[in-house]
Amino acid sequence: METSHGLKGRSPGRSRRRAIQGAVWRYALIPVALVAFLALWQFVVGWRRYPSFILPTPRRVLARFLDALHAGSLQMHILVTLREVFGGLALGLSVAVVLGYALGKSRTLDRVLSPYIVAWQAIPIVALAPLLIIWFGVGILSKVLVCALTLFFPVLVNIIVGIRGVDADLVDLMRSLRASRWQVFRMLELPASLPVLFGGLKVGVTLSVIGAVVGEFVSADRGLGFLVNLARGLFDTPLMFVALFSLMFIALVLYWIVSALESWLLKWRWPED
């Protein structure tokens, strides 16, 4: 048997301090890993004596980043890509939520539409993007559609799984209490499917960045995808690294925003010690 002293030793305050220390340690490893990566990168360039157009040094990439930032061109390309990403997220998520809920609730509708949705998803987005640009022009609309289609299927599948994972007994209980369809959705189905929905959303936000770049690769005169194409044509590899790192940063920030929203909305799933 444990003594009262042993029980006191496992106080909530001590557990919280240990959790905070563990979190600090984990986050401290991020800059350490970054420094190690940059040092390895610098070492490889110096060891193999690569020219800048093949593999530039981190210092050269940083200098090119500051030049583009000072000229204002980088901000312009980032804003264009962000508009496409957010437009694709809004459109893709809206359609995926509505259609996913309908498919999750109706087996008949699922049997009718699922083969066509899967067949459409089997078409590579790289092959579909030129067709969308022919149909909808070279403006932002075609890029938004490419983003929306890129993230649509993963989010749709997660919504269907989340809706079908709701306990049927709880649904019957709410109906027996004469809850309306909206009340069942708002008070039971939505909270129960949120964990799975956020899993699909995390994948979707990163795929939306890929969709924007694919659309810009096919036809664009602005955006980070266009900047990658421009840098490739000019053999300006440092500028290409700047565009690629900017895309990585956008994807990371969007992922962190979704993770923070998930932690806030689902904090009831992780009770405090």
Side-chain angles (χ1 to χ4, degrees), residues 162-179:
I163 293 297
R164 291 181 179 172
V166 178
D167 193 338
D169 292 335
L170 294 177
V171 176
D172 293 338
L173 175 61
M174 293 198 68
R175 287 175 178 171
S176 68
L177 297 174
R178 298 186 179 182

Side-chain angles (χ1 to χ4, degrees), residues 78-93 144 147 151 205 208-209 212 250 253-254 257:
I78 289 176
L79 288 176
V80 170
T81 300
L82 282 177
R83 284 199 295 267
E84 297 166 356
V85 168
F86 286 128
L89 282 172
L91 179 60
L93 289 177
V144 168
C147 290
L151 66 95
V205 293
S208 65
V209 178
I250 290 173
V253 170
L254 291 175
I257 290 174

Side-chain angles (χ1 to χ4, degrees), residues 103-169:
L103 294 177
K105 298 295 290 185
S106 173
R107 296 284 183 176
T108 302
L109 190 62
D110 184 29
R111 284 193 293 268
V112 172
L113 294 182
S114 288
Y116 299 101
I117 295 174
V118 173
W120 182 266
Q121 178 63 25
I123 302 175
I125 195 64
V126 176
L128 191 60
L131 189 60
L132 292 174
I133 290 174
I134 292 174
W135 288 346
F136 299 98
V138 296
I140 190 173
L141 178 59
S142 58
K143 316 302 189 303
V144 168
L145 290 174
V146 173
C147 290
L149 289 173
T150 305
L151 66 95
F152 169 76
F153 190 74
V155 177
L156 176 73
V157 171
N158 277 269
I159 291 173
I160 294 174
V161 172
I163 293 297
R164 291 181 179 172
V166 178
D167 193 338
D169 292 335

Side-chain angles (χ1 to χ4, degrees), residues 11 14 22-23 51 56-58 70 123 170 225 233 240:
S11 63
R14 177 173 296 182
T57 63
H70 180 72
I123 302 175
L170 294 177
M240 188 182 300

